[in-house]
Amino acid sequence: MLFRKLIGAISVAAALTMPALAQDKDLLATVKERGELVVGTEMQFPPFDFIENGKQVGFNADLFAEIGKELGVKVKFIDLPWSNVLPGLEAGKFDMVAGPNTLTAARLEKYYFNLPISGGAISIMKLAKNTGFTSAEDIEGRTFGAQRETVSATKIREVGEGKNITVRDYGDNNQAYADLVAGRLDGVVAQSTNLYYAAKLREGMFEVLQPAIGPMAWFSYVGRRDENSLALMKAIDEAILKVSKDGRMAEIQLKWFGVTMDLPETLPNPQM
Amino acid sequence: MLEFSGALNEFPLFLQGAWASILYAVGCLTLGFLLAVMICMARISTVRIASLSARVYINVIRATPLLVVLLIVFNILPFVGVELSPEASALLSLTVCTAGYQAEILRGGFAGVSQGQIEAGRITGMSEWQIFRHIKLPQAFRLTLPALINETTIMIKGTSLISTVGILELTRVAQNVGNSNFRPLEALLIAAALYWLMTTAMTIAGDALIHRYAREKQS
């Protein structure tokens, strides 16, 4: 019958669209076989990932190009809103996540953290022309913006407890910067690496306040903590170590952060 | 003051995003129509279980926001063993959503096909499939065309949600560009203009089709 025929056709179509289940296979072998490492990230996170002249540029694009060379595979980035990047990793939509992520004890329980590729401390950035706001300790009654589901958003709430501050969550840092410029915020809270880069891009517009509101923390790329991912994660660690040792890392850091930074050769204990 | 030069420098990126939106809209509307015809057949069939399942499907889809469907397909299906790429997740979500609505639209169309024509078909020895293919479906399609065109414009705009599963479409391009040059308003206005162009082109094409059918009927 017609109905049955159509149902049959649909099941065949459904079966065809379902890719081979890669779950039972070692991820490193799968990546090498397909010749492509698939990385989830969010592309409004300068200097790590952003769009310029229609192309993805930044620290991640440069470093992953080197990691790809070490592994002998191409790298494909998938751009999602940050709040759906880690869920996407858990759902197996990509092999790993760029970001990077701040190393915290809570996250370390859930994800495999690769060797750190950078570090920084959560800080506050304000408009340079806002001369009434001169210290990161003077936050009473002010309004801050931070990226949703980041340690920065958590930290400013913690620091501001009892100080009558307002915190607005944004999908990404660039939206928060735009609202700071528009005068809707007194400050944007984010990792110093991102803030100094934003301030450098717009000379004279922004100012990063002292002191930092959080401890120095490391940033890493992350993967899944399952057995299938382990070999790939070790291979990424080795690639990062090699790129650090032969000076390519310092070059990329200098290009995007304006400074170089000595990186630990083993995963440090989380500071947060 | 509006300052479009920054956003216009990235115009090829906007076109790329608009192209992705068009592809996903066309894809989901076509697949959705085929699925909707089947759901509609089940809905009006006299087999109780078929009509009940179709009713449940339509109700569930109409009660679930597209964004929630996207997140379920992308984040939850893998845990029950269904692994789909971001592209397939987006297309599947859009398709199951529009199919529910199109099925309800078509139901009205099928109800409007006169019983006399169907009986005439039977008497002349047409099979049920031929009656469906040559009498019911074309007329149901023509009768519901205005509502179907409305649904296509809704789905063109619905594609703006698929960036949540990693597809670079027009809205995401506008956000990326606007936030990179601190000019979100201009970028979003360009995106709005492109959506307007797409939906207008769609409704003009749809109206032309409606007029053609009307003329055919007169002659």
Side-chain angles (χ1 to χ4, degrees), chain A residues 19-266:
Chain A
L21 295 183
Q23 279 171 333
D24 305 328
K25 266 180 95 180
D26 181 70
L27 193 55
L28 181 61
T30 312
V31 166
K32 294 223 157 152
E33 217 171 89
R34 84 165 101 87
E36 194 173 65
L37 176 72
V38 183
V39 181
T41 194
E42 182 254 299
M43 293 200 191
Q44 292 171 27
F45 199 59
F48 292 99
D49 267 320
F50 57 110
I51 310 256
E52 210 175 71
N53 300 323
K55 279 207 314 238
Q56 174 199 11
V57 291
F59 181 89
N60 288 349
D62 287 357
L63 183 53
F64 267 101
E66 301 304 325
I67 292 174
K69 270 185 221 159
E70 294 304 315
L71 265 64
V73 295
K74 279 195 275 185
V75 179
K76 177 184 166 193
F77 284 93
I78 296 184
D79 167 42
L80 301 89
W82 181 249
S83 53
N84 211 20
V85 172
L86 290 174
L89 174 70
E90 284 171 55
K93 299 295 174 183
F94 11 89
D95 304 318
M96 62 183 296
V97 159
N101 280 257
T102 306
L103 175 62
T104 68
R107 280 184 181 163
L108 188 57
E109 264 174 39
K110 235 177 146 181
Y111 305 106
Y112 183 102
F113 272 71
N114 287 117
L115 289 177
I117 46 102
S118 169
I122 298 170
S123 304
I124 297 174
M125 182 171 81
K126 58 136 195 169
L127 284 181
K129 64 180 181 195
N130 181 0
T131 48
F133 186 16
T134 53
S135 158
E137 273 150 1
D138 170 31
I139 59 173
E140 183 95 37
R142 296 186 192 276
T143 303
F144 296 96
Q147 187 178 8
R148 190 174 294 126
E149 314 215 352
T150 58
V151 287
S152 304
T154 315
K155 190 71 192 174
I156 183 67
R157 287 191 167 87
E158 200 180 294
V159 175
E161 206 153 278
K163 291 191 176 158
N164 192 29
I165 64 163
T166 310
V167 181
R168 295 207 185 126
D169 289 311
Y170 288 83
D172 54 67
N173 275 340
N174 280 342
Q175 286 173 9
Y177 300 156
D179 261 11
L180 181 62
V181 174
R184 294 192 195 99
L185 299 172
D186 293 309
V188 172
V189 182
Q191 293 290 356
S192 52
T193 326
N194 301 82
L195 295 179
Y196 281 115
Y197 185 77
K200 196 183 106 186
L201 272 190
R202 310 258 142 179
E203 204 99 37
M205 185 180 266
F206 300 125
E207 215 175 281
V208 182
L209 290 175
Q210 299 297 332
I213 63 168
M216 170 73 190
W218 293 109
F219 308 154
S220 295
Y221 301 140
V222 305
R224 285 183 293 272
R225 273 202 96 101
D226 53 35
E227 260 177 48
N228 292 335
S229 295
L230 194 64
L232 175 69
M233 290 297 106
K234 296 265 183 232
I236 300 282
D237 281 339
E238 271 169 38
I240 290 174
L241 205 57
K242 191 167 168 217
V243 172
S244 297
K245 283 194 169 153
D246 65 17
R248 279 178 283 172
M249 178 75 87
E251 247 172 67
I252 301 173
Q253 286 181 335
L254 198 62
K255 177 172 168 193
W256 294 108
F257 306 148
V259 289
T260 61
M261 194 181 286
D262 287 330
L263 298 170
E265 291 184 11
T266 54

Side-chain angles (χ1 to χ4, degrees), chain A residues 2-3 6 10 19 21 23 42 44 51 53-54 78-81 84 87-88 90-91 93 172 174-175 177-178 202, chain B residues 10 13 35 38 42 71 74-75 78-79 81 83-84 86 89 129 163-166 168 172 175-176 179-180 182:
Chain A
L2 166 67
F3 197 62
L6 286 170
I10 294 242
L21 295 183
Q23 279 171 333
E42 182 254 299
Q44 292 171 27
I51 310 256
N53 300 323
I78 296 184
D79 167 42
L80 301 89
N84 211 20
E90 284 171 55
K93 299 295 174 183
D172 54 67
N174 280 342
Q175 286 173 9
Y177 300 156
R202 310 258 142 179
Chain B
E10 313 282 356
L13 205 57
L35 186 57
M38 282 180 272
L71 293 175
F74 189 74
N75 292 329
F79 291 100
E83 301 274 349
L84 295 172
S89 303
W129 165 246
S163 61
T164 26
V165 299
L168 187 69
R172 183 70 175 166
Q175 289 177 331
N176 279 344
N179 290 327
S180 296
F182 294 108

Side-chain angles (χ1 to χ4, degrees), chain B residues 51-112:
Chain B
S51 107
L52 188 71
S53 323
R55 252 166 121 152
V56 169
Y57 177 90
I58 290 166
N59 273 313
V60 168
I61 288 299
R62 288 207 294 198
T64 317
L66 175 55
L67 181 59
V68 175
V69 176
L70 276 163
L71 293 175
I72 290 174
V73 168
F74 189 74
N75 292 329
I76 298 178
L77 283 194
F79 291 100
V80 293
V82 184
E83 301 274 349
L84 295 172
S85 63
E87 292 81 8
S89 303
L91 190 59
L92 177 69
S93 309
L94 292 168
T95 302
V96 297
C97 274
T98 186
Y101 288 95
Q102 289 190 41
E104 272 305 86
I105 293 171
L106 285 174
R107 188 156 70 96
F110 281 108

Side-chain angles (χ1 to χ4, degrees), chain B residues 157-177:
Chain B
K157 291 174 285 176
T159 57
S160 62
L161 290 171
I162 60 177
S163 61
T164 26
V165 299
I167 307 291
L168 187 69
E169 43 64 54
L170 184 52
T171 302
R172 183 70 175 166
V173 168
Q175 289 177 331
N176 279 344
V177 170

Side-chain angles (χ1 to χ4, degrees), chain B residues 132-212:
Chain B
F132 172 78
R133 172 71 189 78
H134 298 290
I135 298 177
K136 289 182 181 170
L137 186 60
Q139 293 193 69
F141 180 72
R142 289 177 187 206
L143 283 168
T144 53
L145 198 51
L148 288 174
I149 291 163
N150 193 36
E151 175 67 13
T152 62
T153 61
I154 291 173
M155 289 317 287
I156 288 172
K157 291 174 285 176
T159 57
S160 62
L161 290 171
I162 60 177
S163 61
T164 26
V165 299
I167 307 291
L168 187 69
E169 43 64 54
L170 184 52
T171 302
R172 183 70 175 166
V173 168
Q175 289 177 331
N176 279 344
V177 170
N179 290 327
S180 296
N181 63 15
F182 294 108
R183 287 270 175 196
L185 185 61
E186 287 84 347
L188 289 171
L189 282 173
I190 292 175
L194 288 171
Y195 279 115
W196 179 81
L197 270 178
M198 289 191 274
T199 50
T200 307
M202 190 61 234
T203 38
I204 289 175
D207 286 347
L209 202 57
I210 291 172
H211 281 298
R212 211 183 89 188

